[in-house]
Amino acid sequence: MKQLYSLAHIITQHNLSTRLLLSMALALIISTSIHAQTATAPAVGDGSSGNPYQIASLENLYWIAADESRWGHHFIQTADIDASGTSGWFEGEGWTPIGNTTFFHGHYDGGGYTISGLTIDRPTTDNVGLFGHIGPIDDNEVEPVSIKNVRLEDVDVKGARGTGGLVGRVTGSENTLIESCYVLSGSVTGDAATGGLVGSNNSYIEGATSGRRPVISKSFANVEVSFSGNGSDNQKFGGLTGCNQKGEILNSFSLSSVTVEPSSGQAQRVGGIAGCITLMGLVENSYSAGQVTVNENVSEVGGLVGYVGTTNAGTVTSSYWDTEASGQAGSAGGAGETTADMRKQATFSGWNFTSIWNIIEDESYPFLRDFDLSGFDITDPGTQTAGEPFNINITNAYSVEGIGLSGTYSVVVTSDIVTEGLLEDGVVYDNQSVSFSGVEATLEGVVLKLAISDPGHILTVDIATILEEQDTEVPVEPAQAYKLEISQQPAATVYGSYDDEPADLGTIEVITLDEFDNVSAAGLDSEQLVTVTIENDGSPGSDAVIGGTTQVDIQSGTATFDNINIDKEGEGYTLRFLSGSP
């Protein structure tokens, strides 16, 4: 700002017209500084397959978008990227799609890192997404093109025809691949050919053929997909892809909601995973479980697919939709199942649950092994007291599909310490209806009775729909001292020489226990004495005299009696140990 101030100071020394011109220049400089985007070349890589450009920041990512000469190279993302700043770019229009003047025809590997907060507000622009238009540009149109391992979260994407969170439009071949990608949370809105992941997944070839189809594989979307109400074509809306004609969807799913409710005119071809798959499009080993909402102005609607076509119709194989979650009883293809059946592995005939899919039986929809998005955190409960109830606080709880937990879920807590009479099979908490709100919950009334520290109880918390359990260490201190117990008994038989040589009972140890049988010194007085006497209940030699040590300090929780002797012969003596406060 020092340079700008100096320029303004100089302006005051010139005539009015000069001052006006320079003021305008100053305003332009300030405006540019506010809305400019910085394209920074990656520090590592040369764009070859063996040495891809390493994309580590939003500035690196924009460097790709800023120059179409870079769109045929190889890229790999090496860090999470916060793209929330794109909401203020280009006078509010946001991100400029990669591949907007010609095709992106290179290879982008997201490396499993996230890009979060991407904003695009271009409602009159076709082919809108992180990538605008992708496909081969070689003469034979079979050049390999790929987008892999990209994880988009919290998107806000608005476009016209061909709008998707990841890619607006694919015009590709069998060598065009979108694999192991997702768009999670946020919204995607367009006029036509609009989907949560891809707007249009189409082949470059004009005639229908099964051999030239671009592929979407092992990917999913969970966003709000909606019709903008603009445009004139008003067709092809889906949770994963709006249009999949002459394209393939393999081993993928959608949990996106799809809403198409034109206030006037007509719209058509709306589906939970794809709006249409005409011209030999294919959906295989895939499913949808998002709500599909339309009004009376919409036709060709399905829980999974809206339209398959007639001549050269598309094909749906081993694919399913949730009739309850979608609100749609019918579909142009696929099998409709209840929510309960959609959570059973047996429903998904022929699916690979060894290396591609996984499921938590009766708890989750199938999810891709490439993406286990579940997890949660536990707030350390700290040291507890035996028998006293305490709480375990859970935060950041997300299901395997990346959905924040809200509602009631089953939670079981077990301890690694199983002690007869104190814990049953290690289970210390079992509640089938724990209430989660805002991905958080509180487990109330957990009780541990066995006192142990360093390391303490290792508690394992298991939440339904979350694949991985979480452990937390809870040291437990004894409760207040409650009773005495002889931990080292005197000998069963002792020998002496009658009255002149009293019988020596040896060493006797007495300990203080809490009500759960933990050794405890809690609550004892600073000087806590224990006295031993002969029970006056008709014991043999009840008039005998106890000699030696008869009173010791038990402040530590343990008292040891040495050299106790009895001066009269007899059998079945009963000794009583008494303390002041337990």
mmCIF file of all heavy atoms in Angstrom, residues 310-332:
data_model
loop_
_atom_site.group_PDB
_atom_site.id
_atom_site.type_symbol
_atom_site.label_atom_id
_atom_site.label_comp_id
_atom_site.label_asym_id
_atom_site.label_seq_id
_atom_site.Cartn_x
_atom_site.Cartn_y
_atom_site.Cartn_z
ATOM 1 N N THR A 310 -35.546 -46.653 -26.767
ATOM 2 C CA THR A 310 -36.220 -47.765 -27.441
ATOM 3 C C THR A 310 -35.274 -48.408 -28.450
ATOM 4 O O THR A 310 -34.753 -49.488 -28.214
ATOM 5 C CB THR A 310 -37.496 -47.254 -28.135
ATOM 6 O OG1 THR A 310 -37.180 -46.121 -28.952
ATOM 7 C CG2 THR A 310 -38.542 -46.838 -27.100
ATOM 8 N N THR A 311 -35.019 -47.749 -29.557
ATOM 9 C CA THR A 311 -34.011 -48.244 -30.500
ATOM 10 C C THR A 311 -32.634 -48.049 -29.879
ATOM 11 O O THR A 311 -32.306 -46.979 -29.380
ATOM 12 C CB THR A 311 -34.084 -47.474 -31.826
ATOM 13 O OG1 THR A 311 -35.402 -47.599 -32.350
ATOM 14 C CG2 THR A 311 -33.076 -48.021 -32.823
ATOM 15 N N ASN A 312 -31.808 -49.118 -29.935
ATOM 16 C CA ASN A 312 -30.489 -49.062 -29.286
ATOM 17 C C ASN A 312 -30.608 -48.638 -27.820
ATOM 18 O O ASN A 312 -29.866 -47.779 -27.322
ATOM 19 C CB ASN A 312 -29.549 -48.101 -30.030
ATOM 20 C CG ASN A 312 -29.223 -48.575 -31.430
ATOM 21 O OD1 ASN A 312 -28.997 -49.766 -31.646
ATOM 22 N ND2 ASN A 312 -29.217 -47.657 -32.375
ATOM 23 N N ALA A 313 -31.539 -49.243 -27.139
ATOM 24 C CA ALA A 313 -31.808 -48.873 -25.752
ATOM 25 C C ALA A 313 -30.617 -49.181 -24.859
ATOM 26 O O ALA A 313 -29.806 -50.080 -25.133
ATOM 27 C CB ALA A 313 -33.036 -49.620 -25.244
ATOM 28 N N GLY A 314 -30.523 -48.436 -23.784
ATOM 29 C CA GLY A 314 -29.483 -48.680 -22.794
ATOM 30 C C GLY A 314 -29.775 -49.931 -21.986
ATOM 31 O O GLY A 314 -30.870 -50.503 -22.041
ATOM 32 N N THR A 315 -28.787 -50.366 -21.209
ATOM 33 C CA THR A 315 -28.881 -51.610 -20.449
ATOM 34 C C THR A 315 -28.566 -51.362 -18.979
ATOM 35 O O THR A 315 -27.613 -50.646 -18.659
ATOM 36 C CB THR A 315 -27.896 -52.663 -20.997
ATOM 37 O OG1 THR A 315 -28.164 -52.882 -22.387
ATOM 38 C CG2 THR A 315 -28.028 -53.972 -20.234
ATOM 39 N N VAL A 316 -29.358 -51.965 -18.111
ATOM 40 C CA VAL A 316 -29.090 -51.916 -16.669
ATOM 41 C C VAL A 316 -28.882 -53.346 -16.194
ATOM 42 O O VAL A 316 -29.750 -54.207 -16.387
ATOM 43 C CB VAL A 316 -30.254 -51.263 -15.899
ATOM 44 C CG1 VAL A 316 -29.955 -51.261 -14.399
ATOM 45 C CG2 VAL A 316 -30.502 -49.844 -16.392
ATOM 46 N N THR A 317 -27.736 -53.615 -15.575
ATOM 47 C CA THR A 317 -27.385 -54.961 -15.153
ATOM 48 C C THR A 317 -27.019 -54.968 -13.670
ATOM 49 O O THR A 317 -26.177 -54.169 -13.227
ATOM 50 C CB THR A 317 -26.185 -55.497 -15.971
ATOM 51 O OG1 THR A 317 -26.512 -55.471 -17.365
ATOM 52 C CG2 THR A 317 -25.837 -56.915 -15.552
ATOM 53 N N SER A 318 -27.651 -55.865 -12.907
ATOM 54 C CA SER A 318 -27.321 -56.052 -11.480
ATOM 55 C C SER A 318 -27.226 -54.722 -10.745
ATOM 56 O O SER A 318 -26.261 -54.461 -10.021
ATOM 57 C CB SER A 318 -26.005 -56.829 -11.330
ATOM 58 O OG SER A 318 -26.125 -58.120 -11.863
ATOM 59 N N SER A 319 -28.222 -53.886 -10.928
ATOM 60 C CA SER A 319 -28.229 -52.558 -10.301
ATOM 61 C C SER A 319 -29.562 -52.332 -9.600
ATOM 62 O O SER A 319 -30.595 -52.868 -10.007
ATOM 63 C CB SER A 319 -27.969 -51.475 -11.347
ATOM 64 O OG SER A 319 -26.664 -51.624 -11.898
ATOM 65 N N TYR A 320 -29.546 -51.486 -8.556
ATOM 66 C CA TYR A 320 -30.686 -51.422 -7.638
ATOM 67 C C TYR A 320 -30.935 -49.992 -7.190
ATOM 68 O O TYR A 320 -30.055 -49.128 -7.259
ATOM 69 C CB TYR A 320 -30.397 -52.303 -6.414
ATOM 70 C CG TYR A 320 -29.972 -53.702 -6.773
ATOM 71 C CD1 TYR A 320 -28.630 -53.986 -7.063
ATOM 72 C CD2 TYR A 320 -30.894 -54.732 -6.846
ATOM 73 C CE1 TYR A 320 -28.224 -55.271 -7.409
ATOM 74 C CE2 TYR A 320 -30.501 -56.025 -7.189
ATOM 75 C CZ TYR A 320 -29.169 -56.286 -7.480
ATOM 76 O OH TYR A 320 -28.781 -57.557 -7.832
ATOM 77 N N TRP A 321 -32.167 -49.772 -6.705
ATOM 78 C CA TRP A 321 -32.451 -48.492 -6.062
ATOM 79 C C TRP A 321 -33.321 -48.727 -4.841
ATOM 80 O O TRP A 321 -34.048 -49.726 -4.761
ATOM 81 C CB TRP A 321 -33.086 -47.509 -7.040
ATOM 82 C CG TRP A 321 -34.584 -47.613 -7.192
ATOM 83 C CD1 TRP A 321 -35.540 -46.898 -6.528
ATOM 84 C CD2 TRP A 321 -35.301 -48.476 -8.096
ATOM 85 N NE1 TRP A 321 -36.804 -47.253 -6.952
ATOM 86 C CE2 TRP A 321 -36.685 -48.219 -7.919
ATOM 87 C CE3 TRP A 321 -34.912 -49.433 -9.043
ATOM 88 C CZ2 TRP A 321 -37.659 -48.885 -8.629
ATOM 89 C CZ3 TRP A 321 -35.888 -50.105 -9.752
ATOM 90 C CH2 TRP A 321 -37.247 -49.826 -9.544
ATOM 91 N N ASP A 322 -33.240 -47.816 -3.886
ATOM 92 C CA ASP A 322 -34.015 -47.887 -2.650
ATOM 93 C C ASP A 322 -35.370 -47.238 -2.905
ATOM 94 O O ASP A 322 -35.460 -46.023 -3.083
ATOM 95 C CB ASP A 322 -33.261 -47.168 -1.531
ATOM 96 C CG ASP A 322 -33.909 -47.345 -0.169
ATOM 97 O OD1 ASP A 322 -35.157 -47.394 -0.091
ATOM 98 O OD2 ASP A 322 -33.174 -47.398 0.833
ATOM 99 N N THR A 323 -36.411 -48.057 -2.914
ATOM 100 C CA THR A 323 -37.750 -47.537 -3.218
ATOM 101 C C THR A 323 -38.272 -46.611 -2.122
ATOM 102 O O THR A 323 -39.028 -45.679 -2.400
ATOM 103 C CB THR A 323 -38.737 -48.693 -3.409
ATOM 104 O OG1 THR A 323 -38.730 -49.517 -2.235
ATOM 105 C CG2 THR A 323 -38.353 -49.539 -4.624
ATOM 106 N N GLU A 324 -37.854 -46.856 -0.884
ATOM 107 C CA GLU A 324 -38.327 -46.028 0.222
ATOM 108 C C GLU A 324 -37.586 -44.698 0.277
ATOM 109 O O GLU A 324 -38.204 -43.629 0.404
ATOM 110 C CB GLU A 324 -38.142 -46.782 1.544
ATOM 111 C CG GLU A 324 -38.993 -48.048 1.640
ATOM 112 C CD GLU A 324 -38.672 -48.830 2.887
ATOM 113 O OE1 GLU A 324 -39.250 -48.511 3.951
ATOM 114 O OE2 GLU A 324 -37.837 -49.764 2.823
ATOM 115 N N ALA A 325 -36.262 -44.749 0.203
ATOM 116 C CA ALA A 325 -35.476 -43.516 0.289
ATOM 117 C C ALA A 325 -35.717 -42.616 -0.912
ATOM 118 O O ALA A 325 -35.741 -41.388 -0.788
ATOM 119 C CB ALA A 325 -33.991 -43.846 0.403
ATOM 120 N N SER A 326 -35.905 -43.211 -2.101
ATOM 121 C CA SER A 326 -36.074 -42.408 -3.316
ATOM 122 C C SER A 326 -37.485 -41.844 -3.437
ATOM 123 O O SER A 326 -37.704 -40.825 -4.096
ATOM 124 C CB SER A 326 -35.766 -43.257 -4.555
ATOM 125 O OG SER A 326 -36.745 -44.282 -4.717
ATOM 126 N N GLY A 327 -38.455 -42.527 -2.831
ATOM 127 C CA GLY A 327 -39.846 -42.133 -3.020
ATOM 128 C C GLY A 327 -40.376 -42.525 -4.385
ATOM 129 O O GLY A 327 -41.453 -42.076 -4.790
ATOM 130 N N GLN A 328 -39.620 -43.388 -5.093
ATOM 131 C CA GLN A 328 -40.012 -43.804 -6.441
ATOM 132 C C GLN A 328 -40.187 -45.316 -6.488
ATOM 133 O O GLN A 328 -39.248 -46.072 -6.222
ATOM 134 C CB GLN A 328 -38.955 -43.374 -7.466
ATOM 135 C CG GLN A 328 -38.732 -41.878 -7.554
ATOM 136 C CD GLN A 328 -39.952 -41.138 -8.070
ATOM 137 O OE1 GLN A 328 -40.686 -41.642 -8.927
ATOM 138 N NE2 GLN A 328 -40.175 -39.933 -7.541
ATOM 139 N N ALA A 329 -41.390 -45.741 -6.856
ATOM 140 C CA ALA A 329 -41.671 -47.168 -6.931
ATOM 141 C C ALA A 329 -41.173 -47.791 -8.224
ATOM 142 O O ALA A 329 -40.972 -49.005 -8.304
ATOM 143 C CB ALA A 329 -43.170 -47.415 -6.793
ATOM 144 N N GLY A 330 -40.957 -46.963 -9.256
ATOM 145 C CA GLY A 330 -40.573 -47.494 -10.555
ATOM 146 C C GLY A 330 -39.281 -46.910 -11.081
ATOM 147 O O GLY A 330 -38.758 -45.917 -10.574
ATOM 148 N N SER A 331 -38.758 -47.557 -12.129
ATOM 149 C CA SER A 331 -37.543 -47.104 -12.795
ATOM 150 C C SER A 331 -37.516 -47.722 -14.177
ATOM 151 O O SER A 331 -38.077 -48.804 -14.396
ATOM 152 C CB SER A 331 -36.297 -47.526 -12.006
ATOM 153 O OG SER A 331 -35.120 -47.236 -12.727
ATOM 154 N N ALA A 332 -36.857 -47.051 -15.123
ATOM 155 C CA ALA A 332 -36.738 -47.600 -16.474
ATOM 156 C C ALA A 332 -35.815 -48.808 -16.509
ATOM 157 O O ALA A 332 -35.786 -49.539 -17.493
ATOM 158 C CB ALA A 332 -36.224 -46.522 -17.427
#
